[in-house]
Amino acid sequence: MPEIQYLNSYMAKLIDFRLYSCVMLVSLLCGCTNPANMAQPGSATHNKAQALNQAEKFKKLAGKEHTDKAVNYRLRAAEQLVAAGQYEQATQLMAQNNKRVLNSENTAYKNIILAQIALERRDPKTAQAQLAAIWTPLQLPEYLRVRFYTARSNAYLLSNEHSEAIQERVFLAKNLKTANEQRTNNAVIWDILNQTSTGTLQNMLKPNTRDTYNGWVSFALINKQFDSNPAQKMQALAEWKETYPDHPAIAFVQDSDFGNMPTTTNAPVQIAQQQTFVKSHKPYSGRSIDVPRKIALLLPLQGNHATAGQAVRDGFLAAYYAQPDNTNKPKVQVYDTTQFSHVADAYNAAVSEGAEFIVGPLIKEDVEALNKQVRPSIPVLALNSSEDGARDNVFQFGLSPEMEARAVADRAWREGNRNALLIAPKSAWGQRVQNAFTKRWNELGGIILGTQQIAAQANINKEVQQLLAIDASESRVRYLKSLGLKFNYVAHRRQDPDMIFIATNAALARQVKPLLNFYYAAKVPTYACSSVFNGRVNPSIDQDLNGIKFCDMPWLLDYSVRATKAYQAVASNYQRGEQTARLYALGLDAYRVAANIDRLTRLPDAGVTGMTGKLSLDEDQNVQRKLIWASFRKGIPYPDGDQL
């Protein structure tokens, strides 16, 4: 059936935005009368045009019918309009069916489309109410069951009801026919579980039950609880597999995690061989790399960058000593790059002394120099990025502001925002963040309405007025009054933006956000990257940041991390919230990447849970970090779904 065949391509788009919006899922599905001719998802503009074209085709078909078939065609056309973002037009088109008494199938279809519209408008309660009107989903035709369970899962997800969202995905799996559809749905489930804290997962478990749902939750718990202890994790997964021998989650584990236990013949193929979901980056597809027996750590331990280098070193060694498996631990040797004339000399010294894997250098100039001076014979994990990108045998891992800017764009987009204003410092760093956000926002199909670069010692009040067009409003008033007109006047801001990105440090953001509030933009969703949080909870000075959503690393934001053995093993060596805390966390995860390089290169989408984020490897050999989100309330950053 065409509706089922288009599921996988549209689900791929859903996972990219992680909202899993059912509108996006079903809109392309229902419109393809011939799946062989269905265009591949491209730009947002292309997909919108395609949806509108399908809507017109269905409306023409409806005009040729006078039965329930005409009603169904109009509903299909309305669904395509929803996919194109034309919600009012979709509602008006469905209203044409009010002259007829709808049969049960078309009534359910209409309820599902209304739920889709509510989800696009970030209104899960209305979506749930529409879906609740469908009493017997099992009696729906197959194409509507797929839409129903997808929509209900998304409604629960928007309400942060992860347990129910997972359960609906389990129901959905029973209605998917192809292996590709099943793999895509499994990837959605796994992504939701990866965003769920350990404490929430424990509460999600159902007692004395061994169903598919409990298998997913217990699998996620094992991966979170024992991620820093491979031996215990292997044992726990082996026991889990005995309980769930044919569970779909097996696809997310490499054989070595089961102690080389043979997988069941009915289990899905390994995820490295699967076509997985579409992201802003594609997964790594290069050669696999074995865990090294000796690691060389190249860092500047003296001079201008000594503080940064020492923080990374301390984090790296803390993670090393926290690993309990002494038999399989690699040896580690530290090299101070300031003691060598060229960074290439440090690299050559490490190789000559038996290193099988290099971590470092840390400074951007050193990474650039190493790329130009050396063709590495062993893998290198550079802790910064090169303008030319990674080379053969070189991987890049760092605290990139560009990565965070792209994460902000993705988050704002899947929360339904399309028209953005951007505030950034007038600096090289500010330009990098602005460029990365703008590029990603344009890729998604969004519009940058205006950008304000704030220079040092600038009149910030005037800058914000210009961005919100307050000055233009006041200029019009002055002109009208010069004509002798008398009237009362209240300033107005521009009404077209639906989000604002404050790409600044905390000090500047504390000045900008109150001005946005003052100039009538308090209710416009405001986003930032980690630079808005200095790493230490300080409600007395951060009250002015209230309402800002921002992304940062679990080491600073995920309070459930404190309960993990991994955190407790290393936190005593370093105080959270210090200026170099993020660099310390980078060192922690640099060791995690080196020690798990076999997993990351063999199963790049499965990833590794780290203190700087969920780590995965992309096709350009960059370590991607999936960050967590928080919002300032009463001067305190509260992580999404968790409280202090």
Side-chain angles (χ1 to χ4, degrees):
M1 184 174 288
E3 287 79 8
I4 297 299
Q5 294 183 28
Y6 68 3
L7 172 69
N8 186 58
S9 65
Y10 220 85
M11 262 191 179
K13 185 175 180 182
L14 295 176
I15 304 174
D16 181 29
F17 299 103
R18 290 176 48 209
L19 172 62
Y20 322 119
S21 164
C22 62
V23 177
M24 309 297 279
L25 168 63
V26 296
S27 62
L28 286 185
L29 299 178
C30 69
C32 303
T33 55
N34 183 357
N37 296 329
M38 187 176 72
Q40 293 298 314
S43 67
T45 302
H46 170 79
N47 289 337
K48 180 178 179 179
Q50 187 182 39
L52 291 173
N53 182 52
Q54 291 292 335
E56 288 302 315
K57 289 181 179 179
F58 282 126
K59 283 193 281 188
K60 289 180 181 178
L61 290 171
K64 298 177 182 179
E65 302 284 347
H66 301 283
T67 62
D68 289 335
K69 199 168 185 180
V71 174
N72 193 267
Y73 278 136
R74 274 192 288 271
L75 290 171
R76 289 173 181 261
E79 193 171 44
Q80 292 295 324
L81 290 173
V82 173
Q86 298 189 4
Y87 312 132
E88 294 301 328
Q89 293 90 327
T91 303
Q92 292 170 9
L93 182 60
M94 288 190 290
Q96 296 179 23
N97 292 329
N98 293 342
K99 299 177 183 179
R100 297 182 58 90
V101 177
L102 303 188
N103 61 24
S104 58
E105 177 180 334
N106 286 333
T107 298
Y109 197 175
K110 180 180 178 180
N111 287 126
I112 291 170
I113 295 173
L114 290 172
Q116 294 169 357
I117 293 173
L119 288 171
E120 283 296 294
R121 290 173 169 167
R122 309 293 296 176
D123 185 2
K125 289 185 178 180
T126 298
Q128 290 174 358
Q130 292 292 343
L131 297 171
I134 303 172
W135 290 3
T136 54
L138 291 178
Q139 295 181 15
L140 293 174
E142 185 179 72
Y143 79 102
L144 287 184
R145 288 201 304 272
V146 170
R147 289 163 167 78
F148 174 83
Y149 288 120
T150 304
R152 197 154 71 172
S153 174
N154 297 337
Y156 283 129
L157 190 61
L158 276 176
S159 301
N160 286 322
E161 299 176 77
H162 287 194
S163 177
E164 291 79 3
I166 295 295
Q167 186 63 73
E168 294 301 315
R169 286 283 168 181
V170 172
F171 292 149
L172 173 61
K174 298 176 182 179
N175 294 278
L176 302 178
K177 300 303 181 184
T178 71
N180 225 22
E181 294 162 5
Q182 293 287 356
R183 284 195 294 267
T184 304
N185 189 52
N186 292 340
V188 178
I189 294 173
W190 184 229
D191 198 49
I192 296 172
L193 291 169
N194 272 326
Q195 300 169 50
T196 307
S197 68
T198 301
T200 302
L201 287 172
Q202 290 171 335
N203 293 331
M204 286 169 58
L205 280 174
K206 297 184 292 187
N208 305 318
T209 305
R210 295 185 177 182
D211 59 4
T212 303
Y213 165 88
N214 252 25
W216 275 113
V217 177
S218 57
F219 176 76
L221 265 174
I222 290 170
N223 278 274
K224 284 182 178 287
Q225 290 177 325
F226 302 113
D227 202 45
S228 62
N229 191 323
Q232 290 185 21
K233 182 177 179 180
M234 182 184 298
Q235 179 61 34
L237 284 174
E239 294 172 359
W240 173 86
K241 189 183 178 186
E242 290 182 3
T243 305
Y244 303 99
D246 299 315
H247 198 278
I250 290 174
F252 293 88
V253 188
Q254 56 184 345
D255 287 341
S256 62
D257 282 335
F258 290 125
N260 293 319
M261 293 172 55
T263 57
T264 60
T265 56
N266 295 327
V269 296
Q270 289 199 0
I271 197 168
Q273 301 171 341
Q274 299 174 5
Q275 180 182 355
T276 55
F277 50 84
V278 177
K279 301 180 181 179
S280 58
H281 55 274
K282 296 179 180 179
Y284 175 78
S285 58
R287 68 182 182 88
S288 60
I289 298 174
D290 294 330
V291 175
R293 290 170 295 182
K294 184 176 181 180
I295 300 172
L297 185 59
L298 277 57
L299 297 169
L301 301 179
Q302 300 181 52
N304 295 335
H305 303 291
T307 301
Q310 290 165 10
V312 173
R313 177 201 61 192
D314 292 347
F316 189 95
L317 295 178
Y320 173 78
Y321 288 116
Q323 184 180 335
D325 185 8
N326 292 319
T327 56
N328 295 321
K329 266 189 182 181
K331 295 180 180 179
V332 174
Q333 187 167 347
V334 181
Y335 294 82
D336 181 359
T337 54
T338 65
Q339 300 304 300
F340 295 85
S341 300
H342 304 283
V343 69
D345 296 336
Y347 167 85
N348 291 328
V351 172
S352 66
E353 294 175 8
E356 296 180 351
F357 195 94
I358 302 287
V359 175
L362 175 63
I363 308 306
K364 191 177 187 69
E365 291 78 5
D366 286 347
V367 175
E368 299 277 4
L370 189 65
N371 268 350
K372 293 176 181 177
Q373 298 170 10
V374 174
R375 187 174 184 84
S377 58
I378 62 174
V380 174
L381 178 66
L383 300 181
N384 213 312
S385 59
S386 167
E387 296 296 336
D388 298 328
R391 296 177 53 194
D392 292 343
N393 241 2
V394 177
F395 301 87
Q396 296 184 151
F397 176 38
L399 307 181
S400 163
E402 290 90 345
M403 187 181 297
E404 294 186 12
R406 290 190 290 270
V408 170
D410 287 343
R411 172 77 175 212
W413 178 270
R414 63 176 187 269
E415 290 190 344
N417 304 305
R418 299 296 181 265
N419 301 309
L421 295 177
L422 193 153
I423 301 172
K426 195 170 186 179
S427 65
W429 181 91
Q431 191 64 54
R432 288 168 57 192
V433 174
Q434 177 182 328
N435 291 345
F437 177 85
T438 300
K439 180 181 178 182
R440 181 61 178 154
W441 195 245
N442 289 336
E443 289 172 352
L444 295 172
I447 298 172
I448 304 291
L449 296 174
T451 298
Q452 197 72 41
Q453 291 187 329
I454 300 179
Q457 308 301 320
N459 185 336
I460 299 176
N461 181 63
K462 183 178 179 181
E463 304 272 9
V464 172
Q465 282 189 8
Q466 290 175 351
L467 185 67
L468 297 176
I470 298 291
D471 57 340
S473 174
E474 293 177 339
S475 177
R476 287 193 297 272
V477 170
R478 288 193 296 270
Y479 171 72
L480 292 173
K481 287 187 175 181
S482 71
L483 299 177
L485 298 176
K486 296 182 179 180
F487 53 88
N488 294 325
Y489 163 70
V490 177
H492 295 282
R493 67 167 175 85
R494 61 188 303 170
Q495 297 299 308
D496 46 350
D498 48 29
M499 65 87 63
I500 300 172
F501 177 27
I502 302 178
T504 71
N505 60 23
L508 187 52
R510 292 190 195 103
Q511 300 177 67
V512 169
K513 186 61 170 75
L515 287 170
L516 293 174
N517 298 345
F518 180 77
Y519 288 120
Y520 316 104
K523 294 184 179 180
V524 178
T526 305
Y527 301 83
C529 44
S530 66
S531 57
V532 80
F533 179 47
N534 63 13
R536 189 185 300 276
V537 176
N538 194 338
S540 63
I541 66 172
D542 286 340
Q543 293 283 346
D544 288 333
L545 301 177
N546 288 344
I548 295 179
K549 303 176 184 180
F550 70 102
C551 55
D552 208 335
M553 59 179 61
W555 180 252
L556 295 177
L557 282 183
D558 187 355
Y559 300 102
S560 66
V561 164
R562 294 175 180 175
T564 65
K565 291 181 179 179
Y567 172 79
Q568 294 169 357
V570 300
S572 59
N573 298 329
Y574 217 83
Q575 183 180 353
R576 279 165 53 125
E578 291 189 5
Q579 184 179 3
T580 49
R582 290 186 176 90
L583 290 168
Y584 181 76
L586 176 64
L588 291 171
D589 281 358
Y591 179 74
R592 301 298 303 281
V593 171
N596 290 276
I597 193 64
D598 58 333
R599 165 187 286 272
L600 287 167
T601 53
R602 289 181 173 88
L603 299 172
D605 266 327
V608 172
T609 302
M611 294 300 183
T612 63
K614 182 66 182 291
L615 311 175
S616 60
L617 201 58
D618 71 15
E619 64 175 346
D620 296 320
Q621 299 177 192
N622 296 310
V623 177
Q624 294 288 336
R625 299 187 297 127
K626 182 182 290 184
L627 305 169
I628 63 175
W629 282 83
S631 300
F632 278 101
R633 299 198 301 274
K634 297 182 179 180
I636 298 173
Y638 285 89
D640 286 3
D642 290 290
Q643 300 294 320
L644 277 173

